[in-house]
Amino acid sequence: MDYIFDPGQQLPMLDAGNLIHAIDGCRILIANDYELELIKSKTGLQKEALLKLADTIIVTQGEAGSLVYTQEDVIKIPAVKPKKAVDPTGAGDAYRAA
């Protein structure tokens, strides 16, 4: 089964075993830079080891854009500059949905 794993706000409640189980086999692991560091800390796995469990890792970096990691490459996706920033609530969800 193909799925994207985005632990988001559930991350603090997942122990290492459940986290590894959820990541193993996902097409995409998506997290912000802080969440990825927490995943690495909880599991004891570095990005290279996580890429053996997930096909792709997407790391969002707020106004700095995002990074897409695969076994073969790292792709930097620049952020789109808004004409006017009013409220960033939901911006990450919109990015994930796209």
Side-chain angles (χ1 to χ4, degrees):
M1 172 181 3
D2 292 337
Y3 63 97
I4 296 172
F5 181 57
D6 177 2
Q9 295 179 7
Q10 303 304 316
L11 190 52
M13 293 180 268
L14 296 170
D15 65 25
N18 287 329
L19 195 50
I20 290 169
H21 181 73
I23 294 168
D24 191 15
C26 72
R27 294 278 267 184
I28 301 171
L29 167 62
I30 188 164
N32 63 36
D33 44 3
Y34 168 77
E35 292 166 344
L36 181 61
E37 290 305 313
L38 189 54
I39 290 168
K40 289 168 32 180
S41 174
K42 282 187 145 206
T43 63
L45 300 175
Q46 294 303 308
K47 197 177 320 132
E48 296 75 20
L50 291 169
L51 277 169
K52 291 181 179 176
L53 300 176
D55 290 342
T56 302
I57 299 174
I58 299 175
V59 182
T60 60
Q61 300 178 306
E63 63 186 28
S66 61
L67 296 168
V68 179
Y69 295 92
T70 67
Q71 289 286 344
E72 299 82 29
D73 208 357
V74 178
I75 303 163
K76 176 147 181 56
I77 309 292
V80 174
K81 301 233 184 238
K83 291 181 182 178
K84 180 180 175 186
V86 178
D87 182 357
T89 303
D93 294 331
Y95 177 86
R96 286 160 172 76

